[in-house]
Amino acid sequence: MKSWLTVCVLAAVYGLGRTNNEKLGSEGTISFSAPTLDTEETHSSHMPPHLRCDACRAIAFQIKDYLSKAENKRARKTQLSESEYIDTIEHCCSQKWDQYGVKEVNGMKIISGPGLEEEEKMGMVMLGGPWPGRLYKMCHSYLGEYEEADIYEAYRKNHHFLEEFLCFGKNGDCTKSGQVKKRKSSEKEL
């Protein structure tokens, strides 16, 4: 009974009504299963290469969110001091990252969570496990690769440029993974 209620709630939330029954199957139900993980996805301490672009975009979103909240706390919303933006970025990277996980959509595994359009797609998200630790490590690796001043400068230029700076540059994880087309097609939709 409880699982049927969950399906009904999901159907109501995502607008699946009587007109979409042909998409739901012969019994009018939806079923989801947890993503099937390979050995690397299960046991590696590092983010698998095919998920690094999504992870980078999640990290950029979180850094942008943390910096924005820090600036909004100021009366005049002026620039943060060096110690403030360094502390804010480091605090961001040291968060729990427990709102992110892996989801399988159309046969592809993706990172899902705040700031990623994939969060809105229907599917079962596998939270916990190795994902928070991998995001934590990856975020801190960016702090070793980039100066906090450069990250903050990219954020100050244009809040949306931070993702471009971290993920889509010459050596960015989205460029390496060949996902540049994915980003460009989603920009056209805006």
Side-chain angles (χ1 to χ4, degrees):
M1 179 69 173
K2 189 175 180 180
S3 64
W4 174 248
L5 180 60
T6 303
V7 169
C8 289
V9 170
L10 283 171
V13 169
Y14 289 99
L16 300 173
R18 293 182 189 156
T19 59
N20 289 342
N21 279 342
E22 63 277 359
K23 295 178 185 175
L24 299 177
S26 62
E27 296 179 19
T29 60
I30 301 172
S31 66
F32 297 108
S33 60
T36 306
L37 303 179
D38 63 26
T39 304
E40 179 182 28
E41 294 163 342
T42 305
H43 300 295
S44 175
S45 63
H46 301 284
M47 188 65 70
H50 61 281
L51 296 172
R52 288 187 63 85
C53 179
D54 289 338
C56 182
R57 293 174 52 242
I59 291 166
F61 173 80
Q62 286 296 317
I63 292 173
K64 178 179 74 165
D65 191 49
Y66 271 67
L67 289 171
S68 177
K69 286 177 183 174
E71 285 183 344
N72 286 337
K73 286 181 183 177
R74 301 172 138 262
R76 296 183 189 171
K77 297 182 183 175
T78 58
Q79 270 187 255
L80 300 172
S81 69
E82 181 179 17
S83 64
E84 288 174 317
Y85 68 71
I86 288 173
D87 286 347
T88 300
I89 294 169
E90 288 179 1
H91 185 255
C92 174
C93 286
S94 296
Q95 68 176 295
K96 292 181 181 179
W97 295 99
D98 57 358
Q99 71 272 33
Y100 291 93
V102 70
K103 179 191 293 187
E104 195 164 341
V105 176
N106 298 327
M108 280 186 51
K109 291 173 213 149
I110 56 173
I111 299 291
S112 179
L116 301 172
E117 63 274 0
E118 290 83 356
E119 182 181 32
E120 302 299 319
K121 294 180 181 174
M122 290 180 59
M124 184 180 287
V125 178
M126 183 183 293
L127 298 170
W131 308 110
R134 290 173 179 168
L135 285 161
Y136 174 93
K137 280 178 142 178
M138 196 169 160
C139 189
H140 281 281
S141 75
Y142 290 137
L143 299 186
E145 188 176 339
Y146 301 101
E147 296 289 326
E148 285 91 342
D150 295 334
I151 293 171
Y152 188 57
E153 183 182 332
Y155 163 83
R156 292 290 296 172
K157 281 183 183 176
N158 179 336
H159 297 209
H160 301 291
F161 182 67
L162 186 56
E163 183 178 306
E164 180 75 28
F165 176 76
L166 288 176
C167 308
F168 291 97
K170 181 179 178 183
N171 293 317
D173 286 308
C174 294
T175 306
K176 290 178 194 172
S177 69
Q179 294 192 12
V180 174
K181 289 182 181 179
K182 178 180 177 184
R183 181 207 45 167
K184 288 182 179 178
S185 66
S186 65
E187 283 178 352
K188 290 177 185 175
E189 294 170 3
L190 300 176

